[in-house]
Amino acid sequence: MSENRLLILLNPGRQSRHYMLGVAAAAHRMGMPYACVELESLWNRFNNAQCESDERSCVQSEMSRLVRHHRITHVIGYAWNSVMDFGMLAPAPGTVGEPLFAALGVRNILLWTDHPNWFRNGEAMRPQYTRLFSHPLHTHIVKSQTAADEVAGTLGWSNVHAMPMAEDYHQLLTAREAIPVHDVVAIVGATTAIPPEVAAFVDVDSPDPHEIDAIMLPTVTADWHRWADGHHVPYETRAAGEVLLNLKLADPSRSVWSHASRIDHSGLSGLAWLRSDPSLWFGATKVFSRLVAWRRDFYLAWLARRVDLGIYGSSARPIGVNQPQGADEWIEYGDQASIYARGRVTININAAHDEEGCTHKPFQIAASRTACVHHHTRGLDGLFVPGHQVLTFDHPATLLDRVNTLLGNQRDRVAMGAAMHERATQQHTWQARLTDMLNLSDHAIAATPTYAAAA
């Protein structure tokens, strides 16, 4: 393809907006021609118009002229914004329409960053959207291979690709003069009470995660059958669900989707019934994930009883951890590095549905130049070198040992924080990801616009 020329859609938001701003800044630094559109102003036009359809037609004409004027080759938006916000366009009255940018022959990159089933309470899973999202000029980006396989296998979308996330390190500025006030710092979006079956283990010096999983199994199995009752799940699927839970018990580091694939290969039927309806599949997945969901809050509660742990970004009251005044308030995107720098060490624990692949957290932690201990996550070792750029754990005793080792050696923890920062700023930037996204998008089939961009 000739020179790439981008249209970047900037949505409002406390987090995702900054990702799109990072993409725009990357294009600027790379000298790549681009234009930006503020979506909030468009949304306001739709909401305030006497006739939304007429206003949407005006917007379509404006976007068409913008595409022509700037000779746009790719549009990039967060999640489904680039498809759903602009309506359908038909080449002639009475013909089947296409999403606006696809109709204009523009390649469309949908940066989900997370699993699409979480977006807007699962609206993207509706069957009527499969054709729209599977257009050959649409390229979907999610954060892990297992997520990509799951989206393709349950939602039926084409052109779904795995890509690690990134950050704009010019936005995440480190407060170099920050003096640590905690042994360890975590930024979390929310905490939830530890399950009663697990609560007593907070006071145990070296609790065994496998033992806790085994204790949780009867509860989660009962949850599964209650859910199955409510959704009229056939016997074969119920049985396959129990097999899946036992596979999860044996290897909690693998995702529900990965374990389901093993069941398929074994010849055991049943899970196909769940996959036939994305809402059923992802609803069942939430139940299965409860087996290991205790980890995220438990590790924080357990560690806070042994070192000075500062939890920021939400209330830690549900897990019984005291916080400094104001620590429960939302942390603005650009302040994250300075908050992490309040700890001599940082910690991150993925949610139960993120066993494979990394969230934005380790890349945001890297901006602080603070040593990081990270719960074992498949794929992390391909992004940061364990033992040199990050330390990992999958057991409470290992976690405490990693933390104490770093607390006892300032030179090593400073070196680790610096090494993680250097790796992130060299390889995990939006410049690097933008190049990869464009390459993936350019492999989508070439198409002749079905609608004249001059309209």
Side-chain angles (χ1 to χ4, degrees), residues 1-208:
M1 174 173 278
S2 58
E3 180 183 46
N4 292 318
R5 306 179 73 88
L6 312 184
L7 176 62
I8 300 169
L9 306 179
L10 302 178
N11 56 284
R14 287 178 157 182
Q15 287 284 344
S16 58
R17 176 177 176 82
H18 293 282
Y19 308 152
M20 302 314 301
L21 288 171
V23 172
H28 178 75
R29 295 186 190 106
M30 297 166 70
M32 189 176 296
Y34 71 99
C36 292
V37 169
E38 288 282 358
L39 290 178
E40 187 170 23
S41 63
L42 295 184
W43 297 346
N44 290 337
R45 286 173 60 180
F46 298 150
N47 292 335
N48 296 330
Q50 290 185 341
C51 181
E52 182 181 332
S53 61
D54 288 347
E55 188 64 35
R56 200 173 295 274
S57 294
C58 291
V59 169
Q60 288 181 341
S61 295
E62 292 171 15
M63 290 299 103
S64 176
R65 287 192 291 271
L66 186 152
V67 165
R68 179 192 59 181
H69 177 73
H70 291 282
R71 292 173 295 159
I72 298 298
T73 62
H74 300 75
V75 59
I76 304 177
Y78 180 70
W80 75 5
N81 291 333
S82 58
V83 175
M84 300 302 294
D85 286 355
F86 297 91
M88 304 289 285
L89 201 61
T95 59
V96 176
E98 293 183 294
L100 173 66
F101 294 110
L104 298 175
V106 176
R107 288 172 167 81
N108 192 339
I109 298 171
L110 290 78
L111 180 62
W112 293 93
T113 76
D114 212 329
H115 309 286
N117 56 291
W118 292 108
F119 184 72
R120 294 193 183 181
N121 296 317
E123 287 187 42
M125 296 191 294
R126 294 181 181 178
Q128 64 264 39
Y129 295 149
T130 296
R131 182 182 69 85
L132 303 184
F133 292 138
S134 289
H135 193 284
L137 289 182
H138 292 171
T139 299
H140 302 273
I141 305 297
V142 294
K143 63 190 173 188
S144 69
Q145 189 58 55
T146 189
D149 294 341
E150 190 172 41
V151 168
T154 57
L155 301 182
W157 299 356
S158 56
N159 295 333
V160 184
H161 299 278
M163 186 174 296
M165 294 299 100
E167 297 296 335
D168 179 3
Y169 293 98
H170 296 266
Q171 292 187 69
L172 290 169
L173 298 177
T174 304
R176 293 173 183 257
E177 70 280 3
I179 298 174
V181 295
H182 302 285
D183 292 330
V184 184
V185 159
I187 296 178
V188 297
T191 62
T192 57
I194 297 167
E197 299 91 335
V198 182
F201 287 92
V202 171
D203 296 319
V204 176
D205 286 339
S206 184
D208 181 357

